[in-house]
Amino acid sequence: MKFALKPATQVVAGLLIALALLGCGGGNQNEPASAPPVPEEADEVRQVEAAAALAEPSWVHLANHPDAFSVTGTQLVRFGVDTRWVEKVVTGSGWCTNSYFGFNPAVGVLKTCQLQVNGTPPAPPPASTTVWTHIANHPQAFTVVGTKLVRFGIDTRWVQRNVTDRGYCTNSFFGSNPAPGVLKTCQVASTVAAPNVAPVATITGPAATATFKAGDTISFAGSGTDAEDGSLAATRLTWWAELRHDVHGHPLQPETVGASGSVTIPVRGETSANIWYRFYLRATDSAGATNVVTRDIQPQKAQVTLATVPAGLAFTLDGQPVTAPNTFTGVVGIERDLAAVDQNFNGRRYQFSGWSDGGAATHTVSTPAANTTYTASFSDVGPVINNPPAVALTNPANGSSATTGVAITLTATATDNDDRITGVEFFENGVKIGATAPTAPYSVAWSPTLTGPRSLTARATDNFGLATTSAAITVTVSAPTGTDAQAPVATLVAPANLAAGLNGAITLSATATDNLAVTALEFQVDGTQVGATGSGSPHTVTLDTTAYTSGQHIVRVRARDAAGNASPWASATVSFGGSRTQPAGFSRNESWITGLSSATAFTQAPDGRLFVAQQGGALRIVKNGVLLGTPFMTLTVDPAGERGLIGVALHPAFASNRYVYVYRTTAENGTHNRISRFTADAANPDVVAAGSELLIADLPALSSATNHNGGAMNFGIDGKLYVAVGENANAANSQNPATPLGKMLRFNDDGSIPVDNPFYASRTGLARAIWASGLRNPFTFAVQPGTGRMYINDVGQDVWEEVNLGAPGANYGWPASEGPANITAGVTAPLFAYRHSATSPAGSGPGGFFTGFAITGGAFYPGTGAFPAAYRNSYYFADYVSRYVGRLDLANNHAASAFASLTGAPVGLQAGLDGALYVLTRNGIVRIGFP
């Protein structure tokens, strides 16, 4: 029987009363076996005293953000830094992330997880221990099974004897009174094995004070000891290493078994100075218990100043435009690419003459060990003669007519004979219409609101700031006649645009006006109507935000009149608080598939099987919801950093030809990425047919940089194989027409190059396969079934993550542009982009409230399927570092909303044949379904 703890004073009082009723309890040597039971209040007194004696809780380090961790049983874990913490009771395992704890206690600061312990952790238990269990109170009878050791007494005063079958909790039965005058109990002994004690891992190298520069070879060594096993063999030690940057990490060295090893720090790759490397050592004992320790090494740094003579001229650093003087702090040994070109400045023309280090106009430097200045010198070759641009309005025609409320597209042509156009603006009677059109064809939508003759002009501006205004045209605007053709105007009153942290029930409010009468107002959230349609203005509904995933959402309203005219949507981008991880009604199974190791990509076969690539070289199969134990095949790869087996695709006719395409890093004939085709075995399609490899393409040799390999592959609806290739951490590759690095490639299914590729006729060799260029690290892309529309996810560097519309011959601008910044003529701007950090005010600008560091997954969900209608016909994307899935609503101008948060790091998305959305993480597959 269990008793609730009572206040100590009540317990003691109850005990005194009980003792008074029983006399002194000393010791009639002839108590009957049937004597009445004694209350167990004395045990409660001891429990209260023991609880009061416990040490105050303390905390020990458990994990760093965003690592996984495990605990024994159920433990209290906290997440944060300094005095800013959020706590959670964890059973088994968890993740040291904002999403797992449901809150970010210290925005923008590196956080850790700590485990609560009470005082000093206990010493390891012996191999076995004797446990005493209460079986009776004085003077009760008791029974045991067989012969057991039983003791009689209290505190440290006990007598004991072996008892067979039955006994009495009395002085006479035990032949002694170990504690005269005190209430006593009986306890039975049992021997239990002590719990296994986790091993201790120790890193002996690199030293805690070690530093690094790019190009260094860092040796790693460690050992492990265990209370039960003693010194652990090298086979029970595993180590790996990561490049850490800001608050996230990138793989450097994959998991390797052994007591020691080494890794070389790449000289190309991440150029930021706020990086370091973290080495991990995991010790595993014979019982499977583990202990992981880490060792961080910090970079050696130096300042580099880039200057020009004369001062103020421009050049590029790693392909991005920079104006001198410019000073950056870099990691010693990291390679940087400098380029100086002839240019105009302050009305003068300057010609490059030389760099201070003697390098060519475009050359590579290694960040030196000491602060250094590199100066580009230019010669003044005379004044710049700049002619103004030419511009003309081409639509509508002069003297044409228009109707209020009916939109017209204004178009213009603009040219500049000595440089380039930076933008064209449109004006109505001198008032600007809409936004500046940055690239041709130059156009803007105009919905006239005033009647009478209206004067329209266009103004073009060139890159030197000279502007030309076109000849004016006159358009006569009239009010609609006959049937009401004028749409109403809706105004969203609440919530306010960029409202953040909305939680619980909120009120949506809107008003509308019309030339005759407003008959209906309706609200939508993320494309789905909420509340009833109102019959007039104003109109309000109540919205329960807790039904929506925490994060960004789009609230909008529109009005209709009696003639059925609908107003444009009036919308607000807002952020909902709370802790919901997926929309109400959706299910999320984080453990649908577990047991994967460093997964990188996956695809689904027509029969429902999932083919999953693991970085170490194994291609696994998930069949009927089970990860098969035998891989489809295992290839020898170089898995360093972001290399390895990193792409997989199936032929459109896979059901009949069984063709499987993979993208992997091989060291054969020099380290490079290779695209191959294999065939599934006819008798057993869960394994590869021996000797079936067909080489599709060998890409160029890789540098020492192990990142930016791309690797995604998909077939288009044209039956061609499209391959995304990273620029190997060399930004210049992206714009180099001679190399396939930093590009989208297009092949026939046998590896030949289609003659209708955009550059087939003008280039040679593998460069003929280039379909689009200007990409940094296109980790994933997706093709929409039926339409062939392609969206390319390009991982950014400094500020932006991008979703780009795939198009033949397109140039996405890297490295001169990133995200929506620096979009110039000939550059295709992203469809959607989000920042690495929040804007001020939060939510403003492209991407709204979305932030993240690595866009690594993308999938089109079709117009049919198990998801509710509003969630279909959408593009879903995932961020590896921030661990979420977002949604772009294709039917509503790519409005972006939060869809799901994750505990694992996502690397891929698939819209499953069963109507679910599957998320591939590094260690498993998450299934998000409805219901």
Side-chain angles (χ1 to χ4, degrees), residues 602-603 649-650 652 712-724 744-746 771 780-793 803-807 857-862 873-876 890 909-911:
F602 71 151
T603 190
L650 303 180
M713 299 191 299
N714 286 292
F715 274 88
I717 62 171
D718 57 2
K720 308 302 182 184
L721 176 67
Y722 292 80
V723 183
M744 289 292 299
L745 309 181
R746 180 174 180 257
W771 187 74
T780 53
F781 69 99
V783 177
Q784 187 176 34
T787 69
R789 189 176 181 88
M790 180 190 296
Y791 284 0
I792 305 167
N793 302 322
V803 177
N804 295 287
L805 174 64
F860 287 96
Y861 194 93
N873 194 31
S874 294
Y875 181 73
Y876 292 84
L890 305 185
L909 296 175
Q910 285 282 328

Side-chain angles (χ1 to χ4, degrees), residues 462-764:
D462 69 13
N463 56 309
F464 289 103
L466 288 182
T468 302
T469 300
S470 71
I473 66 169
T474 300
V475 174
T476 301
V477 180
S478 304
T481 59
T483 303
D484 179 15
Q486 184 170 335
V489 176
T491 302
L492 183 63
V493 177
N497 189 41
L498 306 185
L502 301 178
N503 208 353
I506 64 171
T507 298
L508 309 185
S509 176
T511 60
T513 58
D514 186 59
N515 62 320
L516 296 177
V518 174
T519 59
L521 272 167
E522 65 171 308
F523 291 101
Q524 286 190 355
V525 176
D526 302 336
T528 301
Q529 182 169 342
V530 293
T533 301
S535 58
S537 172
H539 176 51
T540 62
V541 301
T542 299
L543 175 72
D544 180 9
T545 65
T546 62
Y548 297 84
T549 304
S550 301
Q552 175 167 304
H553 297 277
I554 307 299
V555 179
R556 62 183 190 172
V557 66
R558 69 177 172 185
R560 294 184 184 275
D561 61 18
N565 299 311
S567 72
W569 289 102
S571 63
T573 301
V574 299
S575 177
F576 293 166
S579 57
R580 181 173 285 279
T581 57
Q582 70 271 348
F586 283 78
S587 60
R588 183 188 61 150
N589 185 353
E590 292 263 4
S591 302
W592 187 71
I593 294 296
T594 59
L596 294 171
S597 175
S598 299
T600 55
F602 71 151
T603 190
Q604 189 167 33
D607 58 15
R609 288 180 298 161
L610 291 169
F611 285 71
V612 186
Q614 295 185 158
Q615 189 172 357
L619 184 62
R620 307 290 299 276
I621 288 181
V622 175
K623 187 175 183 179
N624 298 323
V626 176
L627 177 65
L628 301 186
T630 301
F632 176 81
M633 64 180 174
T634 301
L635 300 170
T636 300
V637 299
D638 173 0
E642 297 172 7
R643 299 172 177 173
L645 179 58
I646 52 180
V648 59
L650 303 180
H651 193 280
F654 174 80
S656 57
N657 63 28
R658 307 185 308 282
Y659 289 161
V660 180
Y661 295 76
V662 297
Y663 183 117
R664 72 187 189 273
T665 311
T666 176
E668 184 180 323
N669 299 320
T671 303
H672 63 285
N673 289 315
R674 172 176 291 172
I675 306 162
S676 297
R677 188 184 81 189
F678 292 85
T679 305
D681 186 78
N684 180 8
D686 292 335
V687 297
V688 67
S692 64
E693 181 175 9
L694 171 70
L695 177 65
I696 299 296
D698 273 327
L699 301 182
L702 294 170
S703 70
S704 66
T706 60
N707 54 339
H708 300 186
N709 290 283
M713 299 191 299
N714 286 292
F715 274 88
I717 62 171
D718 57 2
K720 308 302 182 184
L721 176 67
Y722 292 80
V723 183
V725 182
E727 34 84 302
N728 191 209
N730 183 352
N733 285 332
S734 299
Q735 297 297 330
N736 183 351
T739 177
L741 302 182
K743 313 294 194 304
M744 289 292 299
L745 309 181
R746 180 174 180 257
F747 296 95
N748 293 315
D749 63 356
D750 61 358
S752 60
I753 299 175
V755 297
D756 61 346
N757 273 6
F759 308 107
Y760 185 90
S762 60
R763 298 178 188 173
T764 60

Side-chain angles (χ1 to χ4, degrees), residues 862-887:
T864 59
F867 279 14
Y871 291 90
R872 304 174 203 155
N873 194 31
S874 294
Y875 181 73
Y876 292 84
F877 63 94
D879 191 280
Y880 177 83
V881 177
S882 297
R883 301 189 179 190
Y884 62 71
V885 177
R887 179 172 75 95

Side-chain angles (χ1 to χ4, degrees), residues 181-194:
V182 179
L183 187 64
K184 294 173 283 294
T185 65
C186 286
Q187 298 177 341
V188 64
S190 59
T191 300
V192 298

Side-chain angles (χ1 to χ4, degrees), residues 241-253:
E242 287 183 337
L243 164 69
R244 303 295 299 183
H245 177 215
D246 290 327
V247 296
H248 63 281
H250 302 275
L252 172 68
Q253 179 67 29

Side-chain angles (χ1 to χ4, degrees), residues 282-315:
R282 179 175 64 236
T284 305
D285 67 14
S286 59
T290 62
N291 173 234
V292 177
V293 293
T294 62
R295 173 67 49 80
D296 294 345
I297 61 173
Q298 300 297 324
Q300 301 172 30
K301 303 179 185 180
Q303 278 193 340
V304 175
T305 298
L306 303 174
T308 60
V309 177
L313 296 182
F315 53 91

Side-chain angles (χ1 to χ4, degrees), residues 396-425:
N398 188 36
S400 61
S401 60
T403 304
T404 56
V406 178
I408 296 176
T409 299
L410 308 185
T411 60
T413 58
T415 58
D416 188 45
N417 62 9
D418 53 14
D419 227 309
R420 59 185 173 85
I421 302 293
T422 59
V424 173
E425 302 165 285

